[in-house]
């Protein structure tokens, strides 16, 4: 009963965040204007702002926040480490390399997004192949170490692309993309990113009970009928798919996948079957509010990666301090 009440409260909070996100901006929309425009009324300017600018951006923030938070919760459970984030295996750095390479080559926006998505998946696939060749059993520590090594290579590739880029045209676009932004999101971009995010999220949701057993350790999971190695691989594939799709849409946005699962544990439970829906809703609402703040606090838009770091780092330290206080004798 408590979990249902919490879910209902988070859904209500998410709806309020969506209304605030849609209403806030250079052209303010009142709740009455929003309702009138959604029901087919409203003036032409309100329709253009709502349907072409504000609503696609708010929905993009929703699905990106949900995807990163759910991926973070899944990775932390699968690796039994609360400090793991969705880019632990290099998906964010890989997607960043693919996108900046597309910018360097002068590709259109759609192909830049597809390049980032494909490179993110490719980097994780390389990490998995390398780790399985070194340790056929799929040891989690070996995967993480391989991820660090491949991420370093992808990061050096990004640095090389920035060195070769045109400093007046391409370099600003690369820098801005790497800091994360939803300024140029269109409705077609959402339809492109939504299928892989759903394809990754649905198995996590359906198998959340079995995935939660990974937190007990591989031996305990096997004793309960769960093939730990295969289940962890499935979690990695699903979470990577979601993260790559999110990063290809918005650029690199940190802290959401690391911080939001901790926030969800504070108000819910560490059990993955309860943690996943709470973290997903919390991440969606948090990202919508952060994006609203990013385009409201200054005359020029603040990149999302900067804002999530400024907000996330102190909040994460506070969460850790609070948890240590709670467990102290």
């Amino acid at each position: 009963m408590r979990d249902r009440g919490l879910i209902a409260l988070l859904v209500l909070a998410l709806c309020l965040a969506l209304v605030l996100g849609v209403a806030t901006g250079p052209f303010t929309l009142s709740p009455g204007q929003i309702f009138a425009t959604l029901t087919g009324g409203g003036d032409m300017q309100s329709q253009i702002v709502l349907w072409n600018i504000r609503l696609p951006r708010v929905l993009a923030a929703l699905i990106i926040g949900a995807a990163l938070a759910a991926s973070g919760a899944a990775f932390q459970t699968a690796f039994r480490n609360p400090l793991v984030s969705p880019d632990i295996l290099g998906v964010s750095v890989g997607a960043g390399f693919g996108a900046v390479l597309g910018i360097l080559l002068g590709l259109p926006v759609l192909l830049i997004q597809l390049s980032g998505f494909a490179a993110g998946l490719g980097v994780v696939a390389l990490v998995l192949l390398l780790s399985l060749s070194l340790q056929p059993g799929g040891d989690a520590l070996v995967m993480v170490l391989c991820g660090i090594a491949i991420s370093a290579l992808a990061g050096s590739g990004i640095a090389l692309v920035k060195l070769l880029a045109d400093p007046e045209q391409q370099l600003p676009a690369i820098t801005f993309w790497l800091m994360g932004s939803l300024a140029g999101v269109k409705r077609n971009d959402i339809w492109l990113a939504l299928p892989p995010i759903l394809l990754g999220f649905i198995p996590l949701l359906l198998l959340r009970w079995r995935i939660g057993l990974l937190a007990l350790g591989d031996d305990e999971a096997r004793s309960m009928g769960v093939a730990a190695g295969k289940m962890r691989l499935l979690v990695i594939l699903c979470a990577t798919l979601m993260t790559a799709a999110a990063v290809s849409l918005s650029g690199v946005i940190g802290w959401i996948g690391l911080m939001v699962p901790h926030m969800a544990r504070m108000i819910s439970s560490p059990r993955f079957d309860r943690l996943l829906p709470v973290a997903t809703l919390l991440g969606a609402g948090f990202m919508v509010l952060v994006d609203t703040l990013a385009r409201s606090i200054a005359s020029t838009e603040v990149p999302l990666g900067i804002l999530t770091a400024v907000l996330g780092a102190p909040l994460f330290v506070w969460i850790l301090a609070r948890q240590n206080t709670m467990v102290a004798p």
Side-chain angles (χ1 to χ4, degrees):
M1 185 64 68
R2 178 179 177 274
D3 290 337
R4 292 180 181 178
L6 178 60
I7 293 295
L9 183 62
L10 289 175
V11 170
L12 177 60
L14 177 58
C15 293
L16 294 176
L18 290 173
V19 173
L20 179 63
V22 170
T24 305
F27 182 80
T28 304
L29 295 173
S30 67
Q33 288 177 305
I34 295 173
F35 179 77
T37 306
L38 289 175
T39 54
D43 57 83
M44 183 61 67
Q45 189 174 15
S46 298
Q47 292 181 7
I48 293 175
V49 170
L50 179 65
W51 294 111
N52 296 340
I53 301 174
R54 205 69 56 75
L55 199 57
R57 178 164 184 161
V58 170
L59 292 178
L62 183 151
I63 64 174
I64 289 169
L68 293 178
S71 299
F75 270 121
Q76 290 172 10
T77 300
F79 286 95
R80 303 177 62 198
N81 189 334
L83 298 180
V84 168
S85 62
D87 57 356
I88 186 64
L89 298 182
V91 58
S92 295
V93 181
F97 174 69
V100 300
L101 186 61
I103 295 174
L104 179 68
L105 296 176
L107 300 179
V109 175
L110 179 60
L111 290 182
I112 291 173
Q113 293 176 345
L114 290 175
S115 176
F117 178 73
L121 295 181
V123 164
V124 175
L126 180 60
V127 169
L128 292 177
L129 289 175
L130 181 60
S131 63
L132 290 175
S133 64
L134 295 175
Q135 185 72 279
D139 183 78
L141 179 60
V142 175
M143 288 184 186
V144 171
L145 294 176
C146 291
I148 293 173
I150 302 300
S151 294
L153 289 176
S156 64
I158 292 176
L160 178 60
V161 170
K162 292 171 70 174
L163 181 65
L164 298 175
D166 179 11
E168 295 185 1
Q169 298 293 330
Q170 295 175 327
L171 188 58
I174 290 173
T175 303
F176 194 71
W177 193 92
L178 290 174
M179 290 188 294
S181 175
L182 294 175
V185 169
K186 302 294 187 295
R187 281 178 290 180
N188 291 337
D189 298 331
I190 297 175
W191 291 119
L192 183 68
L194 190 58
I197 288 177
L198 289 177
L199 188 61
F201 180 74
I202 291 175
L204 296 180
L205 185 64
L206 295 178
L207 298 173
R208 62 189 184 277
W209 299 93
R210 292 177 174 269
I211 294 172
L213 296 177
L214 295 177
L216 302 176
D218 290 3
D219 293 336
E220 288 79 0
R222 292 190 192 97
S223 67
M224 296 182 183
V226 174
K230 293 181 180 179
M231 186 60 66
R232 183 177 293 108
L233 180 60
L234 176 64
V235 171
I236 291 172
L237 293 176
C238 291
T240 297
L241 190 64
M242 296 167 63
T243 304
V247 172
S248 68
L249 182 61
S250 64
V252 180
I253 300 176
W255 288 97
I256 300 295
L258 175 62
M259 174 185 59
V260 172
H262 284 273
M263 297 168 60
R265 289 186 187 94
M266 291 179 61
I267 63 176
S268 178
S269 168
R271 284 178 46 180
F272 185 72
D273 58 299
R274 298 178 180 177
L275 178 66
L276 180 63
V278 173
T280 301
L281 291 171
L282 203 59
F286 183 79
M287 194 66 219
V288 171
L289 292 177
V290 168
D291 180 61
T292 303
L293 187 62
R295 50 189 164 87
S296 305
I297 61 175
S299 56
T300 57
E301 182 173 324
V302 179
L304 292 175
I306 294 177
L307 197 55
T308 54
V310 170
L311 295 174
L315 183 58
F316 186 66
V317 171
W318 176 79
I319 291 172
L320 292 179
R322 187 177 185 273
Q323 289 178 342
N324 288 337
T325 302
M326 292 175 63
V327 300

